[in-house]
Amino acid sequence: MKRALILAGGLGKRMHSPRPKVIHEILGKPVVKWVIDAARRAGINDVGVVVGHGGKTVKNVLDEDVKVYFQPEQLGTADAVKSAMEFLDGRIVILYGDVPLVRPSTIKKLLENGADMTVLTANTEKPDGYGRIVRKNGEIFKIVEDADATAEELKIHEINSGMYAFNADALKLALKRITPNNQKGEYYLTDAVDILLKEGRTVDTVKIENELEILGANTQKELSLLFRIAREEILVSLMNSGITIEDPASTFVGPDVHIERGAVLKPFTFIYGNSFIASEAVIGPATTLVNTIVGERSSICRSECDEAKVGKNCSVGPFSRLRPGTVLEDNVKIGNYVEVKNSHLFENVKAQHLTYLGDATVGAGTNVGAGTITCNYDGVKKNKTTIGKHVFIGSNSALVAPVKISDNAMIGAGSVITEDVPAYALALGRARQINKEGWVLKKMEANDEK
Ligand code: UD1
Ligand code: MG
């Protein structure tokens, strides 16, 4: 059995933030979730997270299948692991909730190493602050914390990343023995090295290849550095796979976005969440997509889309907003200043200007005139508007829901529609126009006499 336990109990004081540090986001994704997904990509299904400060807030951002353990007091890394005692089983990897760039391949190496304890180490120019790996005859002998190290030990450049894999029985044995007998008065997980070796258990090391993998988000500046590194890595990999990014300096793509080759991202574009962009779609400029699916050859320009699904050959924008639950089938045209929410627009629908479609279904080939509003909210609840196929809705119409407009109907401009409209009918819901002949002249004459 493979498990990952992620330590995220620390206060994160140096962030100077009212929120727990591990929920700060990199490219729209909380730092702790980067770690969880790295573990999952390494083939680990069982993930546990130890939370402490702001524990409930952290729990709220986690998926339900992640087990959460509360550490009431932050007494050190060994104490953190102890608070998840029931989770310790099989081969278990320990990761940090604030170290997001660890690679699945590295986690795999830890899993595959057979030692009772495997320590992930790194050689670094600046070992300050880290635990040092002390070796004897080339083999790891102990880890000494910066605060407890001798002058000689401080010169060691091989450091402890803080990530390990354990065989659970060895880990449990070490946890029983660890005491807070050190400078900080904390329960150090690093003491497990010494304890297990004395017990005749095996301890080994795996060296990290990329130093970025052990960087933590301890300060806002470090968070922004990680953000930059992650962003660049993603953009480079997208470009390498055949996606055109016109201006990488103003383009942001999250780690869970999937983009097919041949897509084009224009400047000032942000694509986050589980978005999917199909081949030859053109996104941007100045566009934000979150959890949005865009079909082949569709374009979205200067617009915001959240939880929307856009079919093939559609165009959206400039300056439009697709809100959650929007589904556009193929060849739909959404023009400028159009808002769509929780609505299904079938093939070839056009809503080109200044429109709000909420809780609506719009049948294929229907034309929604400029300024059309679905009045979906009656002050208490949301109501549905059902519009059939090939309907023509004249400009500046208000469709007061619940209401149904059947196929091929026509709505006169400026109508307020409160009753259902049958197929092929013309509905007019506006005051009749009256022309008063010569009225202006009479008024002028009256003024002249004064
Ligand atoms: C730890 C290691 C050190 C290593 C370094 C790498 C120990 C004793 N030392 O030191 O060898 O070089 O990480 O960054 O383990 N945490 C809890 N509960 C606690 C304490 C910590 O959940 O009671 C979590 C923190 O949120 C953090 C992680 O554990 O994610 C590491 O804690 P931290 O206090 O930063 O450990 P270091 O002193 O940096
Ligand atoms: Mg630390």
Side-chain angles (χ1 to χ4, degrees):
M1 186 184 292
K2 292 174 284 186
R3 293 191 157 179
L5 185 65
I6 297 167
L7 309 188
L11 178 57
K13 219 197 235 163
R14 288 185 288 150
M15 287 294 273
H16 300 293
S17 166
R19 294 178 298 137
K21 79 167 152 184
V22 297
I23 68 162
H24 287 73
E25 291 182 355
I26 293 176
L27 295 161
K29 175 169 176 166
V31 170
V32 63
K33 285 196 162 184
W34 285 73
V35 186
I36 293 171
D37 284 355
R40 291 210 194 286
R41 286 193 190 119
I44 300 175
N45 295 323
D46 268 341
V47 179
V49 178
V50 177
V51 298
H53 289 279
K56 282 207 184 107
T57 320
V58 178
K59 191 177 185 328
N60 284 342
V61 307
L62 301 176
D63 293 336
E64 291 214 328
D65 58 348
V66 174
K67 296 185 189 74
V68 178
Y69 300 93
F70 283 88
Q71 184 193 20
E73 252 187 297
Q74 278 59 59
L75 303 177
T77 43
D79 180 68
V81 176
K82 239 191 265 174
S83 58
M85 204 58 134
E86 60 179 79
F87 185 73
L88 309 181
D89 201 7
R91 183 95 178 142
I92 178 144
V93 177
I94 308 286
L95 304 168
Y96 287 170
D98 57 354
V99 180
L101 300 187
V102 58
R103 294 199 172 149
S105 55
T106 302
I107 298 173
K108 270 193 191 146
K109 277 189 204 159
L110 285 175
L111 282 171
E112 284 160 10
N113 182 287
D116 283 315
M117 175 181 189
T118 311
V119 184
L120 187 67
T121 76
N123 281 326
T124 172
E125 288 296 302
K126 281 191 179 168
D128 313 74
Y130 287 103
R132 307 296 204 283
I133 306 295
V134 184
R135 290 183 182 269
K136 218 181 200 178
N137 303 325
E139 300 293 321
I140 183 167
F141 172 63
K142 65 171 177 174
I143 299 174
V144 58
E145 288 307 293
D146 198 86
D148 304 291
T150 63
E152 270 311 295
E153 286 166 341
L154 286 176
K155 287 183 195 148
I156 299 172
H157 281 254
E158 188 185 5
I159 56 121
N160 171 28
S161 70
M163 293 178 256
Y164 323 83
F166 286 91
N167 291 332
D169 65 316
L171 175 56
K172 285 181 191 163
L173 179 119
L175 288 175
K176 266 190 222 146
R177 307 268 171 88
I178 293 171
T179 59
N181 208 346
N182 50 54
Q183 281 298 324
K184 287 193 185 165
E186 283 184 6
Y187 292 86
Y188 285 170
L189 188 55
T190 47
D191 285 352
V193 176
D194 181 51
I195 292 168
L196 291 177
L197 285 175
K198 282 186 179 141
E199 281 291 324
R201 300 294 190 116
T202 49
V203 180
D204 198 1
T205 56
V206 164
K207 220 171 256 179
I208 227 152
E209 275 154 31
N210 186 339
E211 232 189 281
L212 303 174
E213 289 186 75
I214 62 165
L215 290 183
N218 296 297
T219 62
Q220 299 284 359
K221 197 170 166 207
E222 284 176 8
L223 179 71
S224 76
L225 175 71
L226 289 166
F227 193 116
R228 206 182 71 209
I229 294 166
R231 181 161 87 92
E232 276 169 19
E233 268 184 18
I234 290 168
L235 294 180
V236 167
S237 113
L238 288 174
M239 289 187 280
N240 286 341
S241 64
I243 288 130
T244 304
I245 300 179
E246 291 183 354
D247 181 27
S250 68
T251 304
F252 297 72
V253 178
D256 303 319
V257 173
H258 187 78
I259 307 183
E260 286 185 343
R261 56 198 228 134
V264 177
L265 309 188
K266 293 190 162 277
F268 297 99
T269 285
F270 306 77
I271 310 178
Y272 287 154
N274 289 307
S275 295
F276 171 84
I277 314 296
S279 185
E280 292 180 72
V282 179
I283 311 298
T287 290
T288 301
L289 308 181
V290 180
N291 295 322
T292 288
I293 295 169
V294 181
E296 283 164 37
R297 293 175 302 279
S298 286
S299 72
I300 308 211
C301 166
R302 294 183 198 277
S303 291
E304 301 257 341
C305 306
D306 184 9
E307 314 243 341
K309 190 169 175 292
V310 176
K312 294 178 192 163
N313 300 310
C314 293
S315 71
V316 175
F319 308 109
S320 280
R321 182 173 180 211
L322 305 185
R323 291 170 54 200
T326 295
V327 178
L328 310 185
E329 300 285 350
D330 299 345
N331 303 311
V332 167
K333 284 199 164 26
I334 298 293
N336 42 264
Y337 307 106
V338 175
E339 176 181 343
V340 186
K341 186 217 72 173
N342 189 32
S343 292
H344 197 133
L345 279 54
F346 286 85
E347 291 85 0
N348 300 306
V349 166
K350 287 188 183 132
Q352 303 263 49
H353 336 264
L354 304 153
T355 285
Y356 173 59
L357 297 170
D359 305 305
T361 326
V362 185
T366 284
N367 187 86
V368 180
T372 297
I373 305 288
T374 53
C375 309
N376 59 331
Y377 187 50
D378 58 16
V380 181
K381 60 181 194 312
K382 302 285 167 63
N383 300 298
K384 263 199 80 74
T385 303
T386 308
I387 303 170
K389 292 180 215 156
H390 304 290
V391 169
F392 182 94
I393 300 177
S395 297
N396 207 29
S397 293
L399 312 176
V400 182
V403 72
K404 182 172 180 215
I405 298 161
S406 294
D407 296 351
N408 301 93
M410 199 167 204
I411 309 292
S415 290
V416 176
I417 299 298
T418 54
E419 283 165 34
D420 290 355
V421 181
Y424 291 98
L426 167 68
L428 293 170
R430 62 188 187 217
R432 187 174 282 279
Q433 179 176 338
I434 39 174
N435 291 341
K436 296 192 175 178
E437 291 289 340
W439 186 90
V440 177
L441 281 175
K442 275 184 209 148
K443 177 101 174 156
M444 284 161 80
E445 280 161 17
N447 281 342
D448 285 347
E449 279 164 20
K450 275 186 193 161

